Structures are given as C-alpha cells and as structure tokens.
Amino acid sequence: MLKRVLVANRGEIAVRIIRECIDRNIETVAVYSTEDESALHVILANDAVCIGSPSPRDSYLNMENIIEAALGKQCDGIHPGFGFLSENSKFARLCRENGIKFIGPSPEIIEAMGNKAAAREMMISFDVPVVPGSDGVLKNVKDAEETAKRIGYPVLIKASAGGGGRGMRRVDSPESMERAFEEAGMEAETAFGDRDLYMEKLILNPRHIEVQVIADAYGNVIHLGERNCSIQRKNQKMLEEAPAFGLDVRTRNALCETAVKAAGVSNYEGAGTVEFVLDGENNFYFIEMNTRIQVEHPVTEMITGINIVGEQLKIASGLPLTIAQEDVRFKGHAIECRICAERPLENFAPSPGMVDFIHFPGGNGVRVESALHSGSKVSPYYDSMAGKIITYGDTRIEAVRRMRRALGEMIVRGIETTLSFQYMILYNKSFLRGDYTTAFMDENAATMIEFLKTADDMDGMI
Ligand code: ADP
C-alpha cells in the first residue's frame, strides 16, 4: 500500500481523503494556502506544507510547489481530489516524472478525456452513442452555423476543455450564433486558457444520469450503478440521488454496460464517471467522462457499501480489484444535498465569511462531509460548496424524510447557505414523484424564491 499521501486539495474533499487514509493507516501531508492556515484538512493531516498565497493560481494550482512539498516530505502518492489539478494531465505527468503515484488515471487518459471534442470522437469510434453534433472542434462561426443547420436548432456550444458549465451557450436561431460563439470562446479562454469549442444538439429537458466505474491497472472494470444528477442550477448539480428513481431496468443496464465499455476501451484506471443525458424516450447519449472522484460519490458508497476513495487508494497501490461485478449489490436509496455558501435571494451570489456557529445533523442514516466548524472561515477565493449532507434509507421516501430531518436540524450562523432552498426541493411534487429533468430549476426556482422572500419578510416582522 501507499505509505504517505499528499492531498493536493482543500475543503471537504481533502478532509474526506485524509480521513480515509487515517482509517487505512496511511500517513497524510496536507497542503494549504496562507488563507487556509487553520483549516480542518491541515489540522487532521499528519503533516502540512504551505504552498502559497490565497489565489488558487499561486497555491492549489501551483504544480511546482506541490511536487516540491511531496518530494520534501517523501510522499509516494498524491491524491488530487476534484477540481484544481485533478484533471490536469501535465500535473499527472509531473508526478510520474518525479516517481510519485498520481492517484487517478494516466496523463494520457486524462488528456484524451479532458479534450471533450476528442473524447466525443473517440466514443463514436467505439460505437458509444453521443449527442448529434460537430465533427470535433468548430473551425469558425461559419462552421458553427453550418453544423447547427445540419443537426437542427436549438444547439449547445460547449468548451472543449470545459467543466463546471463554463463556456457553454444555448443557441436557438442562426441570428444569435455569432454572439454566442464569441462569448463562449471568450469564457472558455478565460476559464481554461483554451478557446476550442464544439457543438451538440440541445436535448430538450433531459435527465442527467451518470455511471460510476472503477478499474484497476490490470484491465478489470466494474460499474457501481448510476446517479441521477438532474437537479442543477446553471448546469451545476445541487442535489443528487442513487439509484435513479423510475429508470427502467433495460435502460439502466444498457447505460451501465456502455459505461463499462467506455472505460474498458480507453484502458481506464481508478475511479471515473461516465456522464449521459437521457431524452424523454430514454435514449441516452454520452456527454463526458470525468477522470476523478466526483462530489456526489457518497450516494453510490451508501447504496453499494463500496468505499470509492478506499478503492482509489488500493488501485493506486497497484492492487487488483477484489470486487467482481456480480459482487456489487445495490441496497436502499441515498440522496445528497450540496450545501453552498450562497445567497439564494441574491441570485445565489457567494456568501463568504466567518462561520460563527454551526450545528450538523446526525442520527440514523445521516452522513456529513464538510470541513466547516464553528469559528472556521468560508473564503471568497474558493468554490462556494461548504459541505454535503447525505442521507440513506431502505426506500427513497425514507431517504427523503431523513434529508428533511437533517436539513431541518442543521444550523449555520455567519454565512448564508442554499439549505432552505434544498429543503423546499424535498417537498416538491415532481421531485417526490422522481419525475424531474434538468429543467427542474427553471420550472420551480422562481416560486421557491418567492416563498423564501415571503418567509424572510415575515421573519423581519417578528
Ligand atoms: P461541464 O463539464 O461543463 O459540467 P457537461 O458536458 O458535463 O459540462 O454538461 C453539464 C450539464 O449541461 C449537463 O449535466 C446537462 O444538464 C447539460 N447538457 C450538456 N450537454 C447537453 C446537451 N447536449 N443537451 C442538453 N443538455 C446538456
């Protein structure tokens, strides 16, 4: 097994990984920016190295400093978590060149999947269904207009290096193509330093369903079932559940088999997620493969009993998978709410600040993943996700009730969060029926905001 792992991340995922290492008797080295000196991940790790100033560019994205820290502390592995350097092939290569195991797939696979236009082409060559769209990268606006004409409006322009919904534009008619093309290109350039765009037909009101896979270094690939992540705001997930309620067995099996095939043909190694959109007729289309641990991995852990971060550590240590596909048993239902430090009433603007007091929920079937504690700080420099609440039940309604209980019990003072918003989702009819698409927020957010506003005004009156 790996002996000492540097965790190249912060926040709840760094804490999740460090806790896992503690459970497995693996030593940990945390890295931190000057903003995070007293953060929980720093406190929990065996050792910690400051890698720079608050701006991610100078610290959590600073490859040289991180590698230097790992070498200085004699680490034999680096876990990148998600975000930051987790899908950076250059970083994975640097790890390899320095004799440190990057806990994730090879730089070649990261590269192949990270270029989404190329990954699409690769999936086409393996007969994996993709959304009708451009042949690779769009050359110019004219190419974009011609492709849109061929596949039919509405279309989506997407950034080839994309992630987090950035560099993505819906285009409904030829008149708005030029502007959307320019805007998406600029956004992609700013976010990823790469202007390349590709196009997909916009699937109207799809469901976002993804499949968790794990693969060892010896060609064994299994899936751990699917997650429904259709409750999204601006293409960012807010609430996820496993399994995907109401998905028929045939579609589910086909999705999972396709995901295993996609991972198998690309010689994948480690934990990965194959993402699909499903239309109203249950036709599914590959949209991307994420070559890292996902935020929503706990829902899968809860229903399979398989520890995904643990598996990552074993695979990176060169151990073969000890679970065969037929050993994977699905039991019960799990839901996750991402608690973000945001102000729902101000268009979800970030709400950084000092957490004066926090009380986390507990009890049967409740799991908390967070780096927050009373007196900790939510920094404006980093992502607004402050933690996750996961509930488990024998049935979906039991998981829903437990989530209502958990969110109702949680208290956070000092920052605003999305908690009350998610609480309302748990009472929404379409959500309760399991009958919802990525249009859920467009259809429901305004009513929920109105309700929140009224509640806020009433509070002011008392
Ligand atoms: P990113 O990597 O930026 O997160 P994705 O390709 O994963 O981008 O897409 C993010 C979300 O955008 C999806 O979950 C889905 O809701 C929506 N989306 C992506 N492609 C399509 C499509 N072709 N049609 C409809 N919705 C899509």
Side-chain angles (χ1 to χ4, degrees):
M1 274 304 270
L2 291 166
K3 287 199 167 50
R4 189 176 298 150
V5 168
L6 180 141
V7 181
N9 216 301
R10 64 179 302 284
E12 68 87 17
I13 192 63
V15 169
R16 163 81 183 90
I17 297 160
I18 292 167
R19 284 177 173 153
E20 192 59 48
C21 289
I22 296 172
D23 291 351
R24 287 167 197 269
N25 216 11
I26 298 173
E27 286 178 33
T28 49
V29 176
V31 291
Y32 63 97
S33 71
T34 48
E35 180 81 353
D36 278 339
E37 264 162 15
S38 52
L40 187 61
H41 74 284
V42 179
I43 299 169
L44 291 183
N46 296 102
D47 207 344
V49 181
C50 181
I51 46 162
S53 47
S55 164
R57 230 178 356 160
D58 300 324
S59 47
Y60 298 103
L61 292 173
N62 188 331
M63 299 187 216
E64 289 73 24
N65 285 7
I66 295 173
I67 296 284
E68 202 178 299
L71 291 172
K73 298 286 179 187
Q74 282 109 43
C75 296
D76 50 359
I78 294 188
H79 198 309
F82 49 64
F84 295 127
L85 296 169
S86 61
E87 291 179 291
N88 188 313
S89 57
K90 196 173 154 203
F91 182 64
R93 199 163 276 125
L94 257 180
C95 290
R96 184 200 267 166
E97 284 163 9
N98 284 282
I100 304 165
K101 176 67 190 171
F102 175 84
I103 303 176
S106 69
E108 291 75 22
I109 294 173
I110 299 178
E111 219 151 54
M113 292 299 178
N115 180 336
K116 291 167 72 172
R120 220 181 105 79
E121 296 302 305
M122 183 163 120
M123 290 302 148
I124 294 171
S125 74
F126 297 137
D127 288 330
V128 171
V130 301
V131 191
S134 57
D135 300 325
V137 171
L138 294 166
K139 290 183 207 73
N140 45 39
V141 187
K142 194 160 166 282
D143 188 13
E145 282 165 354
E146 279 165 10
T147 309
K149 200 170 160 199
R150 173 169 60 80
I151 60 177
Y153 286 92
V155 296
L156 256 190
I157 295 180
K158 297 170 86 171
S160 190
R166 279 168 302 177
M168 208 186 282
R169 287 287 183 287
R170 172 181 172 152
V171 189
D172 287 281
S173 64
E175 293 74 46
S176 40
M177 182 60 82
E178 192 166 341
R179 187 156 166 214
F181 188 84
E182 286 307 317
E183 279 180 6
M186 255 146 55
E187 201 172 299
E189 172 80 53
T190 315
F192 316 109
D194 179 350
R195 270 193 93 92
D196 278 358
L197 301 171
Y198 66 109
M199 185 182 286
E200 278 178 1
K201 190 170 174 60
L202 181 89
I203 306 295
L204 280 175
N205 303 343
R207 275 175 293 166
H208 171 117
I209 301 206
E210 59 186 32
V211 179
Q212 176 75 54
V213 294
I214 42 176
D216 64 17
Y218 313 99
N220 303 305
V221 192
I222 60 169
H223 72 79
L224 303 182
E226 82 289 359
R227 301 184 279 257
N228 185 345
C229 313
S230 304
I231 299 205
Q232 303 180 350
R233 199 185 149 267
K234 294 199 164 166
N235 301 315
Q236 291 256 46
K237 300 160 189 167
M238 285 187 88
L239 180 153
E240 302 95 345
E241 60 177 320
F245 190 68
L247 187 70
D248 68 278
V249 178
R250 239 186 53 196
T251 309
R252 177 179 190 273
N253 289 344
L255 268 173
C256 293
E257 278 162 25
T258 306
V260 168
K261 176 170 144 186
V265 287
S266 53
N267 285 321
Y268 197 76
E269 183 196 316
T273 301
V274 187
E275 298 193 333
F276 299 94
V277 283
L278 268 72
D279 66 15
E281 271 87 53
N282 280 339
N283 297 308
F284 60 84
Y285 309 94
F286 166 90
I287 52 170
E288 68 167 335
M289 178 160 192
N290 288 320
T291 54
R292 53 170 165 84
I293 190 81
Q294 302 258 120
V295 175
E296 57 273 25
H297 75 276
V299 290
T300 300
E301 293 186 324
M302 302 308 279
I303 64 157
T304 58
I306 294 170
N307 185 328
I308 301 170
V309 177
E311 290 301 320
Q312 283 190 301
L313 291 167
K314 287 201 282 185
I315 292 165
S317 301
L319 297 172
L321 276 182
T322 49
I323 318 153
Q325 189 63 62
E326 53 275 20
D327 299 332
V328 183
R329 295 266 182 275
F330 300 95
K331 187 171 177 293
H333 200 93
I335 302 175
E336 173 183 274
C337 286
R338 302 184 181 199
I339 309 298
C340 293
E342 292 173 358
R343 303 171 205 275
L345 293 185
E346 286 164 49
N347 202 21
F348 294 85
S351 174
M354 183 66 90
V355 180
D356 301 319
F357 175 81
I358 192 160
H359 167 76
F360 283 118
N364 199 4
V366 177
R367 170 173 169 185
V368 177
E369 295 287 346
S370 176
L372 293 190
H373 54 85
S374 296
S376 66
K377 183 168 66 176
V378 172
S379 166
Y381 286 100
Y382 312 114
D383 193 87
S384 63
M385 197 184 70
K388 309 177 304 207
I389 308 292
I390 303 105
T391 58
Y392 173 83
D394 287 336
T395 58
R396 183 171 186 260
I397 192 62
E398 191 171 57
V400 170
R401 289 205 183 105
R402 285 182 171 156
M403 186 60 86
R404 290 173 181 166
R405 157 164 71 78
L407 297 188
E409 216 180 285
M410 187 160 162
I411 304 168
V412 195
R413 302 247 185 275
I415 55 162
E416 276 190 52
T417 72
T418 48
L419 219 146
S420 46
F421 205 83
Q422 274 134 335
Y423 190 76
M424 282 190 283
I425 297 177
L426 300 165
Y427 284 94
N428 179 285
K429 254 193 204 156
S430 325
F431 174 73
L432 288 174
R433 286 197 200 105
D435 177 20
Y436 59 89
T437 69
T438 58
F440 180 88
M441 288 292 276
D442 287 342
E443 290 162 2
N444 295 288
T447 322
M448 293 182 184
I449 293 286
E450 268 321 299
F451 185 85
L452 269 184
K453 265 192 192 143
T454 318
D456 211 39
D457 291 346
M458 302 280 277
D459 265 359
M461 283 163 67
I462 301 168

